[in-house]
Amino acid sequence: MSTVLWLLAILGALGAFDTLYFHEWRGRLASRGGAIRTELALHAGRDFVYTAIFGTLPWLEWRGDWSAALCALIVTEVVVTFTDFVVEDRVRRPLGGVYPGERVMHAAMAVVYGAMLGALVPVLRVWFDAPTAMARTSVTSPLGLRVGLTLATCGIFVSGVRDLLAACAAPGSAWPWEGSHA
């Protein structure tokens, strides 16, 4: 399970860079409105799934039927991500497309996510056979790693709320980019 958590930490760092640099700084997506709102809604949905995954895996085991719920979350995230790939290409066409560096970042994130899933499958097999419970983790991993993932969870949640508000065109949701486009 420690490998899963380290891979989540790497994924979180890559995702933070992708969001802050490509989505916020370069793309200023929250200020664009229109069709970009579909992409932002997908990002929000994925962020809320990641909030559950990043927030629980360092501390809890999804045993028995809960492991099926975790698998459902993972499948949901994969479907949202694949949909996002298609939507991004369509809605960003008028902006010149997805930035080349962003495309590379998404590929790197997909590789890390796949590695994390590969490391999680054997753990899920054990959890699936256990009595149904959300139980405190039995795996020893560095406290700093678990706390770091919890802090990342907070950032992921805030990012999801921002994207949801921008997707709904809530007043002030484009701050600080309102009226400004890259």
Side-chain angles (χ1 to χ4, degrees), residues 23 35-40 42-43 46 77-94 97-98 102-103 106:
H23 298 182
I36 294 291
R37 289 186 184 135
T38 304
E39 180 182 351
L40 291 171
L42 289 166
H43 291 175
R46 180 174 48 223
E77 187 283 329
V78 169
V79 169
V80 168
T81 296
F82 288 167
T83 303
D84 184 43
F85 288 163
V86 173
V87 168
E88 277 179 337
D89 281 343
R90 180 177 46 81
V91 302
R92 297 228 208 143
R93 202 169 291 133
V98 176
E102 185 178 10
R103 177 94 53 216
H106 292 170

Side-chain angles (χ1 to χ4, degrees), residues 7 12 19 22 26 29 31 33 36 40 58 77 80-82 91 100-101 106 111 117 122 140 160 165 175-176 178:
L7 289 167
T19 298
F22 290 113
R26 292 220 33 217
L29 299 183
S31 70
I36 294 291
L40 291 171
E77 187 283 329
V80 168
T81 296
F82 288 167
V91 302
H106 292 170
V111 168
L117 290 179
T140 304
L165 292 173
W175 181 88
E178 291 177 281

